[in-house]
Each structure stands twice: as C-alpha cells, then as structure tokens.
C-alpha cells in the first residue's frame, strides 16, 4: 500500500538531519561513554558465563548492582540495589537511581552510531520492508512525545496503544517513556469491549491507534473498534489516529491525525528524569479468576532484565539482525522486540504479517531477505508450518541463522525436532525459553551456559543469572533433590519481576505470594530432571494457553453468561494439535430446545465480541447439568478427564453432589463425538 501524504511528510522531515539544536543528552552517565563500546548490556567478565552464574547465585543483589551500573545510562546513580519483602509482595530495585528508558534505547546509540539500523519493519506485503535507523527512531519518538505533550499528556498519565506492529507503534511506546507517561499496549486482536475494559481499569487519558491495520492481506478496522470502545470510557480525552492504509475513516471531535501533528512537532524532546521505580508500563494478562489484571513493570529493573536476557540468552552480537516475530501487544514483544534489543543497540525486526501469508514459506523468506541471525517464535506457528511440509523451508537460504528460540507455551518434541533439524539444519542452537508477563523477561532457558553445554530437546533447563527456582510439594514444603516435581516458585526477587497489579496490590499478593509465603509462585508446575534441569509441565490453575495466548477459562464463562438461554457454563482447556490448547465449553440450557445450533453460534459470537476471536471455544457440548460438589463448586477436573478420555483415572468422585452426573456427561460426549465424526 502506498504511503499516505502525511506519512510521506514525516519521512521527508526525517531526512533533514540533524535538526537544529540537537545536542547529546548532557549529564547522563553510560558505561559505553567511557569504554567506547556500542552501549547496552554489560560484558561478561574474564572467565565467562560461569563466573557470573556463580556470583549471581552467591550474591544476587551484588550481582545485579554491578550489571546495572555496567548496562544502563543513569541520570543519577542508585544508592540501594534492592529492598524486598516477598511475603508482602514487594520488591524495589535500584533505589534513588534516576534514568530515562528512551535515552537508554535511543540517545545513547544515536550519539555513537546514528545510522545504525534500529528497526526493520517487515510489513504485511512481502518485499516492502522499511529500515529505520536509531537517529530516525529518536526523531519519530521525540515528535510523537511532543505531540502527546501538546495535547496535555503528562508524566504519570496512562496512554493506551492499540496498534499493529510498526515503527510508529514502537515510537509510541518510547514516546510515553520519554515523557514519563505510562503505556498500556492492547493487542490489536482484542475486541472493543476488551479494549474498553482495559482503558477503564487503567484510566487512560488517550488512545493511539491506526485508521486500519493490515494483517495476512486483510484489513483490521482498528479505528472503528476504538470508536466503539471509547464510547464507554469517559477518561479518554484524545484519540491519536495514524494512517496505515490510504482509506479514510470517520474522524470525530476528539480525534487527532497523528502524522500531521508529528510533522509540525519539534524533533527534540528533553527526556523526563524518572525514578527507577516509577511505572514504565501496564500490560494486561489473564488470571484464573476475575478480569484481566494490569501487570505493572517499572523503569530500571525491567529494562536491565530485558536487555541482559536478550544479550545472553540469545547470544546477541553487535550487528546481528534479531527477529522476534511476536506482536508488541504481548510481553514478548515488549521485552524482545522493543526494550531488550533497543537497549542493546540491536537491529530488531518488526513482523507485521502471519506465518502463512502469502504462503507457509513467509518466515523463512524473511530470514533469507533480511538475513535474520536470531529467530524467536511460538510453538503454535511451528506446529502449523510443520504440517505444510519441509519444501516451504528448504526453498530459502537460512544460513544467516545462528540461534532459534521458542516461547509462550510448551514445545512438543515433534515441533522441537522439526524446528531444530529442518529450520536450523541441525547447526543452530534451539532454546526453549520459559517466562511470563509477570517475570518481565526470560527466567529459564538453556542459556546462559558454558558455550558447549548440553541442550536437551524441548526443555527450558537452566535458570538465568540470579534466578533461583524452587519446587514445592502439596504441603508447601520445598522439594529437595533431583528427579522430582512440584509447583514452580522463585526464591529470590529479580529486577524484572512485576511490582504489583494496577490498583489492586492485595490481588497481587493473593495470586503470587500467598500460596508459598516468601516465594513467588508462577502458577506452573515443573519437573527437575535427574541432572537438575527444569522441564515445565503446565499450568496448575484455570489458565489456558490458546496458540500461545493466555486466557482464563472464567473469562470465557463470564462472557457466555450473557446469553439469556444459557444459565450455566464450564470451560476447560483441551489438547489441540496446532493451537496447543483449545477451549471446550460445557453448557446447560434453561429449557430444552431444538435450536441448540443457533445458541452455539450466538455463544461463539458473544465470546468473539467480548474477548477476542482466538478465545472462541472449538467445541460446545450441551449437558443436562454440570458436575458439582455438594458445596456447589464445578469439578472441572472431571470434565477434563471426560474429554481426554482418561476414564480409568477419574479420581475421587465421592464429593460430587450426585455421582450419576459423570455417566450422563460421558454419554453426551460420546454422542457428540460420533456426530462430529460422521
Ligand atoms: C505462561 C505465561 C513467556 C512470554 C509469553 C507468554 C506458559 C511460557 C513456556 C515454555 C512451557 C510456557 C506458562 C506461563 N509458558 N513459556 N517455554 N514452556 N510453558 O507469557 O502470556 O504471561 O504466559 O505461558 O504456562 O505461565 P504469558
């Protein structure tokens, strides 16, 4: 699609460089200023990984203090590295320190190598990639920051970013960081109602969006969705609308054309000096109960953790092209498309498309064209591509690839082997990386390790520097030794950990610090192998993972509760060959009807409009009643056993109000299966 006139104007403005009056940011101290290196994460000490590993295990706080000084540009230095009380869910890092995240991600690199490529925007249309240098990205960021300021956005204000992946969306995140505003990026696949819920919870003053998005050759009506959402959001004063396509959209009173304003704006914006513990962003994620929660990450600790893990898990070297294909709407996009790579002065790929557009060779065609060195993606995409056959991979030159990474959900052995042997030709390191929105960055991954250390297929294996994993038994006791399983907890705070849930610290404490006092509980189970490696066994709560997207089954149930003819529902995750997990809904009807097909379609539409398309259950089964305990709790465990057909291990059913319900549901399921296969 052609550039719009406004975008072309911004790009023309960018070519007049340097703008008058640009001076390097004074008074900021960067390690790289002294050493003349490229900036970014601290370098390994003589002796390599092992030295840091030992130091971080012995003295985590001392370790983090040292790497924080060696990695970040500080406005003023911190006086206390860490103050934490895990039993009450508090952790503060680098107290007294002041810095600006956008200076770390932009100015420090612009001052040394302004023409280094920061972003390669791999647009939806193959072969139309756009290169953006650090200098250009700083320019975009400052103009966007000044535009936000002009319309009254101040330090501490919340700004929603509802955009597909692009340099402008990255600039929007960094512009917030520059002026001390707090961004909350909302995945472009979310419905108006989900968007409104997040805007209202966080009290956003503005939304930044596109007129339309483009993905997989299709148009996404983003502005329309925003219009619908903001109707119920009185806190919104302005909607900034950028142009991704040439199509005109209706502009209302509070709508502002972003590019037009940016073209007029000053390209210099003095960075706000932020406290280490000021909030950098909120990112909403699902829990096992209630509405999605706004996970809070702060400035210094988050940035340090994203940068250090980016460099040492992937072995990123200066000049490499880093290709994380995640969307910026998720934490993976925040940490490994934007903050980690940019803090390290890396070249980061922004992938706007899908793995199968225009055909299943897209990823590898991109690898060849952009000469990608590290490729980081989700198992669900690998499983999808695997089904399309090897030819799509082999058609393209993948010799630039050095490291492959997998994230977001368990990678099954078949997908791991295919990724490793077919994509990586058996010569690239393949890393299964485990972490969460709440952890800020990768916590368990085969690296960092001695260079030639063993990598076991489909296993996250080793904790990152300073991460101390612990397994807990049912009685809340630490499980010692190897060849054991338990609830995965982390024993010591680390800089990247979430600080709270926005507006509800008690929920934060209850969700993560109550089950095992003194420890952070991840919600996942894990097995520690005979050799002491970690293998994630899956969620222990009612959170499911559809195509790497995290979702609470309760959210789907709550959405379906809107249907007048369906008084009761229970949703569980079930194994899905490509998506990893899918949603399976059991529903009870108010009264028997011949219109179950219509009701099912209505339920699907409700879930799509209240949450997102990916949340729609694949299966909806009508049952007479749900299996409940005498106290009225739904026994989802039994429903899971029914659909995985593990009938021999139903477990204890004596607490059921009426045990005959099991046979009833089994019969209904058998009939449903026969009907679906015929
Ligand atoms: C949940 C976190 C990690 C960033 C993207 C997802 C599951 C994540 C793995 C892995 C097995 C994994 C966990 C975790 N998960 N990575 N390598 N192996 N499971 O972040 O949306 O916050 O989801 O994803 O269950 O708790 P998220």
């Amino acid at each position: 699609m052609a550039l719009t006139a406004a975008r072309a104007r911004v790009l023309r403005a960018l070519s007049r460089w340097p703008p008058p009056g640009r001076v390097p940011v004074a008074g900021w101290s960067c390690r790289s200023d002294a050493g003349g290196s490229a900036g970014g994460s601290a370098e390994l000490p003589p002796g390599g990984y092992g030295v840091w590993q030992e130091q971080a295990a012995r003295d985590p706080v001392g370790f983090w203090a040292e790497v924080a000084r060696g990695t970040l540009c500080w406005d003023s230095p911190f006086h206390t590295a860490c103050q934490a009380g895990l039993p009450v869910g508090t952790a503060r890092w680098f107290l007294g320190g002041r810095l600006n995240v956008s200076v770390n991600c932009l100015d420090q690199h612009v001052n040394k190598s302004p023409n280094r490529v920061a972003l390669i925007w791999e647009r939806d249309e193959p072969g139309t990639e756009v290169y953006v240098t650090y200098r250009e990205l700083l320019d975009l960021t400052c103009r966007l920051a000044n535009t936000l300021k002009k319309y009254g956005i101040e330090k501490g204000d919340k700004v929603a970013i509802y955009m597909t992946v692009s340099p402008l969306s990255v600039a929007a995140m960094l512009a917030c960081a520059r002026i001390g505003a707090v961004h909350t990026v909302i995945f472009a696949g979310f419905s108006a109602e989900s968007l409104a819920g997040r805007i209202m919870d966080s009290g956003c003053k503005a939304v930044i969006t596109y007129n339309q998005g483009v993905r997989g050759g299709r148009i996404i009506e983003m502005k329309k969705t925003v219009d619908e959402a903001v109707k119920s959001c009185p806190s919104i004063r302005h909607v900034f609308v950028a142009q991704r396509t040439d199509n005109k959209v209706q502009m209302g009173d509070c709508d502002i054309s972003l590019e037009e304003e940016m073209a007029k704006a000053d390209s210099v914006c003095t960075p706000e000096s932020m406290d280490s513990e000021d909030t950098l962003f909120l990112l909403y994620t699902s829990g096992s109960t209630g509405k999605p929660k706004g996970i809070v990450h702060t400035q210094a600790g988050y940035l340090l953790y994203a940068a250090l893990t980016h460099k040492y898990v992937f072995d990123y070297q200066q000049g490499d092209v880093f290709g994380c294909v995640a969307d910026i709407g998720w934490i993976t996009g925040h940490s490994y498309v934007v903050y980690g790579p940019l803090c390290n002065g890396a070249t980061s790929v922004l992938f706007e498309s899908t793995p199968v557009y225009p055909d299943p060779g897209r990823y590898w065609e991109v690898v060849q064209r952009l000469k990608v060195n590290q490729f980081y993606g989700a198992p669900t995409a690998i499983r999808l591509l695997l089904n399309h056959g090897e030819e799509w991979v082999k058609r393209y030159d993948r010799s630039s690839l050095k490291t492959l990474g997998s994230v977001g959900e368990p990678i099954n052995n078949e997908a791991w082997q295919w990724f490793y042997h077919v994509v990586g030709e058996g010569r690239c390191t393949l890393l299964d990386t485990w972490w969460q929105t709440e952890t800020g960055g990768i916590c368990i991954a085969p690296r960092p390790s001695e260079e030639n250390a063993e990598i076991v297929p489909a296993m996250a294996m080793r904790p990152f520097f300073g991460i101390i994993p612990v397994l807990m038994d049912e009685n809340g006791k630490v499980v010692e030794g190897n060849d054991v399983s338990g609830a995965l907890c982390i024993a010591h705070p680390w800089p990247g950990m979430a600080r709270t849930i926005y507006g509800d610290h008690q929920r934060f404490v209850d969700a993560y610090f109550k089950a095992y006092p003194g420890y952070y509980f991840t919600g996942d189970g894990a097995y520690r192998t005979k050799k002491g490696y970690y293998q994630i066994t899956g969620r222990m709560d009612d959170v499911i993972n559809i195509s790497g997207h995290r979702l609470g089954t309760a959210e789907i149930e709550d959405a379906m509760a809107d249907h007048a003819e369906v008084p009761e529902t229970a949703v569980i995750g079930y194994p899905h060959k490509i998506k990893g997990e899918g949603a399976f809904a059991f529903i009870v009807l108010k009264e028997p009807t011949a219109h179950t097909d219509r009701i099912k379609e209505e339920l699907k539409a409700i879930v799509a409009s209240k949450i997102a398309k990916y949340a729609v259950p694949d299966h909806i089964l009508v049952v007479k009643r749900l299996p409940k305990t005498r106290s009225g709790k739904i026994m989802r465990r039994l429903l899971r056993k029914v659909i995985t057909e593990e009938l021999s291990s139903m477990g204890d059913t004596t607490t059921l109000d009426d045990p005959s319900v099991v046979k009833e549901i089994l019969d209904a399921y058998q009939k449903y299966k026969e009907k679906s296969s015929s």
Side-chain angles (χ1 to χ4, degrees), residues 364 378-387 404-406 409-424 430 457-458 577-578:
W364 326 119
T380 187
I382 299 300
R383 286 190 295 264
L384 178 70
L385 297 179
L386 175 160
N387 283 334
L404 306 172
S406 164
E409 42 167 333
I411 180 161
N412 49 313
N413 195 53
E414 188 192 7
W416 195 96
Q417 297 294 349
W418 190 82
F419 202 7
Y420 181 76
H421 289 287
V422 179
V423 176
L430 170 50
K577 214 167 169 289
I578 296 197

Side-chain angles (χ1 to χ4, degrees), residues 283-286 295 326 330-333 335-336 376 379 406-411 431-445 458-460 488 520 522-525 535-541 543-545 548-551 581:
L283 188 58
Y284 282 81
T285 190
S286 297
I295 297 295
W330 311 113
I331 191 71
T332 311
S335 301
Y336 301 111
Y376 193 31
S406 164
V407 61
E409 42 167 333
I411 180 161
L431 311 165
D432 178 15
T433 64
W434 175 89
W435 58 296
Q436 313 174 294
T437 305
E438 295 88 338
T439 68
I442 295 165
C443 286
I444 308 183
M459 203 185 284
L488 178 64
Y520 166 81
T522 64
D524 283 307
Q535 179 165 40
I536 310 303
T537 47
R539 294 293 302 197
M540 298 177 77
D541 52 16
V543 168
I544 60 173
N545 197 321
H549 302 333
R550 175 169 159 184
L551 208 62
E581 271 184 300

Side-chain angles (χ1 to χ4, degrees), residues 11-27:
L11 296 177
R12 262 202 308 281
L14 289 176
S15 63
R16 294 196 302 270
W17 184 271
R22 155 125 4 248
V23 286
V25 182

